[in-house]
Amino acid sequence: MERKTFADFKFNRQILNAIEETGYTEPTPVQQKAIPPILAGQDVMGVAQTGTGKTAAFVLPLLMKLKYAQGDDPRALILSPTRELAMQIEAHIRLFAKYTDLRTVVLYGGLGPKTQIAELEKGADIVVATPGRFLDLYLAGHLITKSLKILVMDEADKMMDMGFIGKLHRILEVVPRKRQNLLFSATMGELVHKIAGDFLAFPTVVEVTEQATPAQTVSQMLYYVPNLKTKINLLQHLLKNDEAAHRLIVFCKTKSVADNVFHFLERRYGVENVRVIHANKGQNTRINSINAFKEGSVRILVATDVAARGLDVSNVSHVINFDVPIVIEDYVHRIGRTGRAYQTGDAITFCNPAEEYYIRKIEKLIRQQIPVRDIPDDVTIENTGFEERQAIAREIDAQKRKENPEFQGAFHEKKTKNQQADKHQRAGSRKHNPRQSKRRR
Ligand code: AMP
């Protein structure tokens, strides 16, 4: 089969721009095979494991078909066996629908339905749901299914393993008959065959085994760094290698961090070598900075995600995530700026104890573990000051509360957290790898 590019699929500009920003250079085999029949309106059965790029294989043509926000009732329903997968699918949709106004609502159990109902009431084009929660909300009258035109069942084998077959049949009874169906499954056991038989009409079967490696030319690295000052020291260390690190973007989470990093770099490397862009900079200043960076006359660009949005700069040698992005899809956008067109690039992330939470989420999204590096010996590990330590502890508290609304942030918990921060500190985080000690996998 002739290999297609994303442009060959005749996606619209909004979608092509979003793909471009993720750094995906060519469609994976499952995308090559599944996208054309899906765009042509056929039912498709995809036998593909996670890691093959199957999510984008159905998300991209689905976005192309829905195009823009319309009416109040969902036109596409994506069923997922678990909350985690539902959230990952939603993250992919956010990634690719970024230049459209399409609205996505994700529904899963394990917490009260109030917020989800409120979201639905605002209107949705796409619903991503676990079967149980979908049915509950449908039966309670919060979901209108008459506009559904596309139905996707992801990880059908897992749905069968989890005993969802009855619920799926019930869902098939309440959605319009005339619709396009897509089913993805890693394996094709007896039950999957059965549900596929009930669900799909004359499907095109697509079977692939090859795994996708996100932006293959980018090498990703992660450093566990206890605090801001140590992040600065590490940045300085990486900048020493000026031959390899000749064109860098340093991403920061806020304007004030970006300004601090900028001032530090400016003092050290001279005003002609560094620029900063963030929302408080005037449009002209921003454009000048970007142009200077593009031309190569400026080595380092410090940026916030908001300022970097739509920034047409690629082929940088290094992307440095001075802070871990908390909008996790931004990670993919950020690293997509390096390693383009078969050049290699490094994407280096600095992570303090409060940011580990987002690293775990990013790793789920990209379905990879980012390789961890030890902080080099000649980088000074600073002590975490009182205020920063408190801020980190507060953030970790907030994360725990988000995961478990019952969590009170009790005193003994605080103590444990401080101990944790201490651990990062001692590692000077040097030999301390939270993956081995804290992670439960
Ligand atoms: P999935 O099988 O959908 O879980 O995707 C596995 C990984 O491959 C995810 O990290 C995707 O972001 C990535 N991926 C999907 N499509 C492509 C592509 N065309 N090029 C590079 N990476 C991709």
Side-chain angles (χ1 to χ4, degrees), residues 214 220-222 224 331 359-360 362-372 433-436 439-441:
Q220 302 176 62
M221 284 159 246
L222 177 65
Y224 288 107
Y331 181 81
I359 287 290
R360 300 290 90 81
I362 288 165
E363 289 183 323
K364 273 196 180 157
L365 172 69
I366 63 172
R367 296 186 196 269
Q368 280 189 345
Q369 279 200 19
I370 309 169
V372 179
N433 178 349
R435 265 192 222 293
Q436 281 147 20
R439 218 179 222 190
R440 274 158 284 146
R441 285 211 165 212

Side-chain angles (χ1 to χ4, degrees), residues 25 49 64 76 88 97 132 140 144 169 233 253 301 316 404 417:
T25 45
Q49 297 181 336
M64 178 66 192
Q88 277 162 40
I144 293 168
H169 275 128
N233 295 349
K253 63 181 171 192
L301 185 67
V316 298
N404 171 15
K417 270 189 311 277

Side-chain angles (χ1 to χ4, degrees), residues 155-339:
E155 300 200 351
D157 45 351
K158 201 156 179 191
M159 300 243 213
M160 298 302 119
D161 292 345
M162 292 172 72
F164 282 139
I165 193 155
K167 287 205 164 80
L168 293 175
H169 275 128
R170 183 82 187 85
I171 293 173
L172 293 181
E173 284 167 16
V174 305
V175 294
R177 251 166 217 279
K178 202 170 164 319
R179 50 167 210 263
Q180 183 178 10
N181 302 296
L182 313 173
L183 179 144
F184 287 84
S185 187
T187 57
M188 284 305 292
E190 206 179 309
L191 279 174
V192 177
H193 262 289
K194 170 145 183 18
I195 193 81
D198 299 337
F199 179 58
L200 304 163
F202 308 108
T204 302
V205 180
V206 165
E207 201 166 343
V208 296
T209 48
E210 294 101 310
Q211 299 276 312
T213 27
Q216 289 164 357
T217 46
V218 180
S219 66
Q220 302 176 62
M221 284 159 246
L222 177 65
Y223 289 96
Y224 288 107
V225 189
N227 50 42
L228 184 84
K229 279 192 181 153
T230 314
K231 284 187 175 184
I232 294 271
N233 295 349
L234 180 57
L235 178 62
Q236 203 178 331
H237 171 86
L238 296 172
L239 283 166
K240 271 192 205 149
N241 189 350
D242 51 6
E243 230 166 82
H246 58 91
R247 224 162 119 80
L248 305 93
I249 303 188
V250 181
F251 281 103
C252 303
K253 63 181 171 192
T254 60
K255 282 176 279 195
S256 76
V257 177
D259 276 334
N260 282 340
V261 171
F262 168 70
H263 289 308
F264 169 79
L265 293 174
E266 189 189 26
R267 276 197 302 275
R268 196 121 286 250
Y269 299 95
V271 64
E272 66 285 359
N273 277 314
V274 201
R275 293 281 190 281
V276 60
I277 54 167
H278 57 57
N280 278 10
K281 297 274 159 192
Q283 187 68 2
N284 282 344
T285 321
R286 257 200 272 181
I287 292 173
N288 287 342
S289 303
I290 291 166
N291 286 343
F293 182 69
K294 267 198 209 166
E295 286 161 11
S297 54
V298 163
R299 179 180 171 210
I300 311 164
L301 185 67
V302 182
T304 58
D305 288 294
V306 177
R309 214 142 272 170
L311 172 78
D312 170 32
V313 178
S314 56
N315 281 336
V316 298
S317 65
H318 287 62
V319 165
I320 298 194
N321 297 313
F322 190 84
D323 301 305
V324 177
I326 53 179
V327 175
I328 59 170
E329 310 87 84
D330 282 340
Y331 181 81
V332 184
H333 289 140
R334 288 179 179 186
I335 75 167
R337 297 182 184 280
T338 184

Side-chain angles (χ1 to χ4, degrees), residues 6 23-28 31 49-56 88 92 95 212-216 332 365-368:
F6 284 111
Y24 294 2
T25 45
E26 64 166 20
T28 66
Q31 291 159 9
Q49 297 181 336
T50 55
T52 53
K54 65 167 171 77
T55 317
Q88 277 162 40
H92 270 84
L95 202 57
T213 27
Q216 289 164 357
V332 184
L365 172 69
I366 63 172
R367 296 186 196 269
Q368 280 189 345

Side-chain angles (χ1 to χ4, degrees), residues 41-53:
Q42 294 166 23
D43 277 13
V44 169
M45 178 161 95
V47 188
Q49 297 181 336
T50 55
T52 53

